[in-house]
Structure formats: C-alpha cells, structure tokens
Amino acid sequence: MRGVRGGLIGLGTVGMAYGAWLLLSRQDIGQITEVVVWLAAAVVIHDGILAPAVLALGWLGGRLLPRAVARGAVTVLVLLGPTVLVAIPVLGRFGAKPDNPTLLDRDYTQGLVVFALLCVCAGVAVALGELRSRQRTVEEEQS
C-alpha cells in the first residue's frame, strides 16, 4: 500500500510540475495573473461559502431527518451541489459566440439531469446501506 501511495504521490507531483511548466512557458503574465485570481477565488468560494453551507445543511438535515435519510441527502448534496455550481455558466451559455458554433454545442441540461439521477441513486444506496448496517447491529445485540 505504501508503494502505491508513493507512486500516486510521485505521479501527481510530476503532473503538477508539467502543468506549471506549461503554464509558465506558454502563457503571458496577464493570463498567469488571471489563473492565480481564478484559483484564489475558487479557494475562497469553496472554503468560505460552499463548505460552510454544506456543513450547515448537513447539521440541519441530521436534526430534522431520520439518520439514514440524512446520510443519503448529504451524499446527494455533496455530489450534486458543486457540479450544479460548476454547470451554471455552461447551462446559461455564458461565453457562447455566434461566430463559433463549436462552443457550447451540446444539450448540457440533459447531461446534468442524468448526473442528478445518478447522485440520487447514490444517496438511496447510502441510505439503504445505513439501514442495513443498523439491522445488523440490532441483530448482533439480540444474539
């Protein structure tokens, strides 16, 4: 396991170094500045808005819903929430240009709906797993 972990860390480090080299060698200073601003905004939005909102909704769901349902709902929220946020510009077709029909040329709503259904299936699976785990615990305590 340590070898696999070390290999994955090494592979990730090489990938990041290659990406940094591509960024620094092929982009001008204005584009690099935009990337840095975008990365900083992503961290601020995730850590300042998204993570606290998910924690608050998870806490609220844990108080209002049965445990199994709350775990399933949190699973759906964690999987689907960031994806919807990322999909908003694509769904709104921000950046579409009439002179370039290859930009935003798909039905992205359909893909998001399919992904949402898969997230709901994952949430149901987590809820069923929680219920099954509780049944096993009760059966083990009774025997």
Side-chain angles (χ1 to χ4, degrees), residues 48-127:
I49 298 171
L50 186 61
V54 169
L55 287 174
L57 289 173
W59 178 83
L60 187 63
R63 300 278 181 207
L64 299 176
L65 300 172
R67 184 177 178 155
V69 175
R71 287 188 176 214
V74 167
T75 300
V76 172
L77 178 67
V78 168
L79 292 174
L80 191 57
T83 304
V84 169
L85 289 176
V86 169
I88 286 172
V90 175
L91 294 174
R93 299 201 170 283
F94 307 127
K97 296 180 179 177
D99 61 336
N100 188 351
T102 60
L103 288 176
L104 304 172
D105 61 343
R106 297 186 190 122
D107 183 7
Y108 297 101
T109 304
Q110 187 179 27
L112 184 62
V113 168
V114 170
F115 183 74
L117 290 174
L118 291 173
C119 291
V120 169
C121 290
V124 169
V126 167

Side-chain angles (χ1 to χ4, degrees), residues 2 6 9 11 13-14 23 26 28 30-31 33 37 57-58 71 74 77 79-80 91 96 110 120 128 132 134-135:
R2 278 188 174 175
I9 289 171
L11 186 63
T13 303
V14 169
L23 178 68
R26 297 186 181 187
D28 61 31
Q31 292 170 322
T33 303
V37 169
L57 289 173
R71 287 188 176 214
V74 167
L77 178 67
L79 292 174
L80 191 57
L91 294 174
Q110 187 179 27
V120 169
L128 292 175
R132 193 170 185 182
R134 281 183 157 191
Q135 282 180 333

